[in-house]
Amino acid sequence: MKTARFFACLVPFAIAALLPAQTPSPSAYTITESIAFPPIGSTMTIYRSGTKVLTVIDRPARPGSSPAQHTRVLYDLASGTSWSWDPAATSVSCTAAHFSANWADPFAMTPDLRQNIAKGEFKPAGTESIAGVSTTIYTGVHGRTAIKAWFDEKDGLVMRAMIGAPGGQLQPLVDIKKVDLTAPTASLFALPAACAR
């Protein structure tokens, strides 16, 4: 519980440091990342093709507590509408909603990270390959948050990021495991019958 509260306190500072600016990101990709919160082994895969985005969140079962969870959220970026459902549910139900900007864009951190690098707030601290992608490591402090980011400068993607209090232990925020910058299959973006109604 303390870990969850710690993340909840730090995320606003990290987001404030890395808020998205009005620069275009790729419009077709499949990106899979680990989810920092329990249970261990949780993943999110983001499929994007133009103005359609599907996020697939899979959480493994917790022994003796909760079963595995599978959540799908389809975003229509043009209309600002989203639909969410669990494909493993006995009776699939769908929830529709409207959203403004936050849809888990994996490129959202890039513009302000680049600005902080340009301003000298974040300094290079080596290189490392993450999931087969060459990255430059940047470290720095923004406000009351220390940030370490593994940045794919070629494609403009933060492959890994860790945050924490300056001088303290850093905790994972982003950890990308797989990147494919080609268009995903169109059938992925079809709504189930429960949502189509």
Side-chain angles (χ1 to χ4, degrees), residues 32-35 39-45 56-60 177:
T32 301
E33 61 183 90
S34 292
I35 296 176
I40 293 171
S42 299
T43 62
M44 176 169 64
T45 300
V56 174
I57 301 170
D58 292 312
R59 296 179 182 276
K177 299 298 186 185

Side-chain angles (χ1 to χ4, degrees), residues 48-61:
R48 180 172 182 184
S49 181
T51 61
K52 303 291 186 189
V53 176
L54 176 69
T55 62
V56 174
I57 301 170
D58 292 312
R59 296 179 182 276

Side-chain angles (χ1 to χ4, degrees), residues 5 13 18 30 61 87 93 102 135 141 143-144 158 180:
R5 283 196 204 114
F13 295 115
L18 303 172
T30 300
S93 63
N102 186 7
T135 69
V141 176
R144 294 179 285 172
V158 177
D180 180 354

Side-chain angles (χ1 to χ4, degrees), residues 89-105:
T90 309
S91 176
V92 176
S93 63
C94 184
T95 303
H98 291 283
F99 67 96
S100 54
N102 186 7
W103 54 268
D105 181 359

Side-chain angles (χ1 to χ4, degrees), residues 8 25 29 51 72 75 79 81 90 101 112 121 123-124 126 133 142 145 148 157 162 165-166 169 189 191 193-194:
S25 60
Y29 52 78
T51 61
R72 306 295 182 259
Y75 297 91
S79 69
T81 306
T90 309
D112 279 352
E121 289 184 9
K123 307 283 187 189
V133 176
H142 185 87
T145 305
K148 183 174 184 179
L157 180 63
M162 301 183 76
Q169 184 175 355
F189 305 98
L191 285 169

Side-chain angles (χ1 to χ4, degrees), residues 35-185:
I35 296 176
F37 303 103
I40 293 171
S42 299
T43 62
M44 176 169 64
T45 300
I46 303 162
Y47 301 92
R48 180 172 182 184
S49 181
T51 61
K52 303 291 186 189
V53 176
L54 176 69
T55 62
V56 174
I57 301 170
D58 292 312
R59 296 179 182 276
R62 288 177 159 180
S65 81
S66 60
Q69 296 176 336
H70 310 280
T71 305
R72 306 295 182 259
V73 182
L74 179 65
Y75 297 91
D76 183 332
L77 303 182
S79 69
T81 306
S82 66
W83 299 266
S84 58
W85 69 95
D86 179 351
T90 309
S91 176
V92 176
S93 63
C94 184
T95 303
H98 291 283
F99 67 96
S100 54
N102 186 7
W103 54 268
D105 181 359
F107 290 88
M109 296 182 186
T110 302
D112 279 352
L113 176 62
R114 283 185 166 145
Q115 287 179 9
N116 289 336
I117 292 168
K119 289 190 286 189
E121 289 184 9
F122 294 167
K123 307 283 187 189
T127 59
E128 186 176 345
S129 179
I130 304 291
V133 176
S134 178
T135 69
T136 302
I137 303 168
Y138 288 94
T139 60
V141 176
H142 185 87
R144 294 179 285 172
T145 305
I147 299 170
K148 183 174 184 179
W150 287 255
F151 187 46
D152 168 11
E153 306 212 40
K154 176 179 171 285
D155 297 313
L157 180 63
V158 177
M159 293 292 294
R160 181 177 292 161
M162 301 183 76
I163 61 171
Q169 184 175 355
L170 299 181
Q171 302 293 330
L173 179 66
V174 174
D175 189 8
I176 290 177
K177 299 298 186 185
K178 187 177 178 183
V179 178
D180 180 354
L181 297 177
T182 60
T185 306

